[in-house]
Amino acid sequence: MALQLPTSHQLHKHTVDKVKPDVFFWLLSSFDMIRGINMGQHWVNEEMTGCDLGDARLNQRLAVMLEALGDRPDKSLPTAFQDWANTKAAYRFFANENVSEDKILEGHFAASALRIQATDGPILILQDTTEFSFKRSSPEKIGFINESTGRKMKEGRHLKHTVCGLLMHASLAITTEGLPLGLTAAKFWTRNKFKGTEALKRKVNPTRVPIEQKESMRWLDNLQRSTELAGSPERCVHIGDRESDIFELFCLAQDLGTYFLIRSCVDRLAEEGGTTISQVMAETQVSGTHDIHFRDKRGNQQQATLSVKHAKMTVCPPIGKQKKYPKQKLGIIFAEEKNPPEGRSL
């Protein structure tokens, strides 16, 4: 669980006056996935049923844009809209102060909820963060996402530059068979300043910073919004990578009555605090094996046999937060490849 957002980063919400067509192009073209789900001529109407931009003309323009970008999702805006009149109308749409990413996605979220309600069984909700980087003559109008290291200078130092762009954290609902049902939450933001988390860690203990002051709060926000949208917390399994190994997320899931599956990043204290998760699992018997198939970095087909352990145990909150959060009873799954072949290129 890395410290993502110090207060000095001055994170700001992506406001309408700073929204660029690049962002809306992604938002609109992303509906092509849902078009593939519906496979019908009325997919635009289905996605827009719960969308209201406050003006019938804006609603109609959005429908036209969705259909055009759905037909040509890999094209630039002028090519997708095919004539100057529609392209100009699209840019006027982008510039309208009544249009925001939240309002555009409102209808899609409502449609996702209906698709979830129409299915049976568990719903897997996948969370992850995406970075959009841009080259702009005035990057401050969009914002910054991180600091990149470039070529090495003559004096031995590496050239560094701040990357212009936006970040998006989205949650996608799918069935256990892999059928996508739509987005259930999405958050967009950018940074005015970025000093690097490594420099900050020398000054601040990340575990003692309130979660509300961290960029990591996005994981909790999306879990809560997705659970509320689905309407059946007992059916939801929220899945995330190592960044989502956040104790506050465990507590929130417990409060909401929902489930999660994350990849562990921290070897947390367990039971009464005198041991750790890894120490408990080291004493746990193997319950079986599981074969996985994958391609290595050269594209060659590979197979690995994993030994699998599982156990339920009490997991303790971070030392600096033990007075604030209760211990959690969690199920732990440990998978490890035994005797991997020599020379395998991952």
Side-chain angles (χ1 to χ4, degrees):
M1 180 175 62
L3 177 62
Q4 296 289 338
L5 177 61
T7 55
S8 61
H9 278 193
Q10 299 181 9
L11 185 79
H12 69 271
K13 179 70 176 67
H14 189 55
T15 53
V16 173
D17 62 321
K18 295 182 180 179
V19 170
K20 293 296 180 181
D22 309 81
V23 183
F24 281 97
F25 183 78
W26 181 89
L27 286 170
L28 296 171
S29 62
S30 67
F31 283 103
D32 188 58
M33 174 191 67
I34 305 304
R35 185 190 183 196
I37 297 173
N38 293 330
M39 295 300 289
Q41 296 181 347
H42 304 294
W43 73 273
V44 171
N45 292 334
E46 292 178 12
E47 294 304 308
M48 288 195 57
T49 299
C51 181
D52 184 8
L53 299 176
D55 188 313
R57 293 169 297 179
L58 290 177
N59 293 341
Q60 184 177 3
R61 175 53 54 185
L62 175 59
V64 171
M65 294 167 65
L66 281 174
E67 187 170 359
L69 289 171
D71 290 338
R72 294 169 286 276
D74 59 336
K75 305 299 181 182
S76 65
L77 292 177
T79 304
F81 297 131
Q82 297 193 314
D83 61 60
W84 177 241
N86 280 318
T87 302
K88 189 174 181 180
Y91 279 103
R92 285 199 301 267
F93 179 89
F94 298 141
N96 194 300
E97 294 184 354
N98 293 322
V99 175
S100 68
E101 62 268 30
D102 293 335
K103 290 185 178 180
I104 288 177
L105 285 169
E106 189 175 36
H108 172 63
F109 289 150
S112 296
L114 291 176
R115 283 188 286 268
I116 291 173
Q117 294 168 14
T119 63
D120 297 318
I123 299 296
L124 309 182
I125 300 181
L126 319 179
Q127 286 197 54
D128 209 353
T129 304
T130 300
E131 294 181 353
F132 300 91
S133 59
F134 306 109
K135 291 183 178 180
R136 293 292 183 272
S137 58
S138 301
E140 68 278 358
K141 292 183 178 180
I142 294 181
F144 304 97
I145 55 175
N146 58 36
E147 192 175 71
S148 177
T149 301
R151 61 185 178 86
K152 193 173 184 180
M153 307 293 286
K154 291 182 179 179
E155 58 271 26
R157 296 185 297 106
H158 285 274
L159 183 66
K160 293 187 176 182
H161 67 279
T162 305
V163 180
C164 166
L166 303 165
L167 297 100
M168 177 197 70
H169 189 73
S171 296
L172 173 68
I174 66 173
T175 65
T176 52
E177 290 76 28
L179 177 68
L181 303 175
L183 297 177
T184 54
K187 184 176 183 178
F188 297 84
W189 74 100
T190 184
R191 304 181 180 111
N192 281 335
K193 290 185 178 181
F194 191 90
K195 295 183 179 179
T197 57
E198 293 303 320
L200 184 76
K201 287 178 182 177
R202 292 194 290 267
K203 301 178 182 179
V204 181
N205 182 347
T207 64
R208 297 184 182 273
V209 177
I211 188 65
E212 294 80 9
Q213 295 180 22
K214 297 181 183 181
E215 193 174 301
S216 301
M217 186 66 189
R218 68 191 188 275
W219 295 93
L220 280 73
D221 288 341
N222 273 32
L223 184 146
Q224 181 157 359
R225 292 170 185 169
S226 298
T227 302
E228 292 172 352
L229 183 77
S232 302
E234 71 282 356
R235 295 179 59 202
C236 299
V237 181
H238 301 267
I239 300 175
D241 59 18
R242 288 179 173 178
E243 280 193 89
S244 62
D245 185 0
I246 305 169
F247 198 85
E248 289 88 344
L249 184 144
F250 308 162
C251 297
L252 177 61
Q254 173 72 24
D255 293 342
L256 296 176
T258 193
Y259 301 92
F260 59 88
L261 176 64
I262 64 167
R263 188 178 182 185
S264 175
C265 175
V266 181
D267 188 14
R268 301 184 181 277
L269 296 176
E271 304 302 354
E272 297 304 317
T275 186
T276 65
I277 293 175
S278 63
Q279 290 171 344
V280 174
M281 295 309 296
E283 301 297 325
T284 303
Q285 295 295 319
V286 173
S287 56
T289 61
H290 179 67
D291 293 335
I292 61 172
H293 300 271
F294 61 95
R295 293 185 183 275
D296 61 20
K297 65 181 181 181
R298 295 190 180 95
N300 299 321
Q301 191 69 239
Q302 299 283 340
Q303 176 178 321
T305 299
L306 306 179
S307 64
V308 181
K309 303 177 180 181
H310 65 88
K312 285 189 176 182
M313 69 183 74
T314 300
V315 177
C316 304
I319 293 176
K321 298 180 179 180
Q322 289 185 353
K323 293 182 180 181
K324 186 174 182 180
Y325 299 107
K327 297 178 180 179
Q328 296 290 317
K329 192 76 172 180
L330 303 179
I332 308 296
I333 302 172
F334 182 86
E336 181 182 29
E337 183 180 13
K338 294 294 185 181
N339 304 316
E342 293 184 6
R344 174 190 285 161
S345 176
L346 296 178

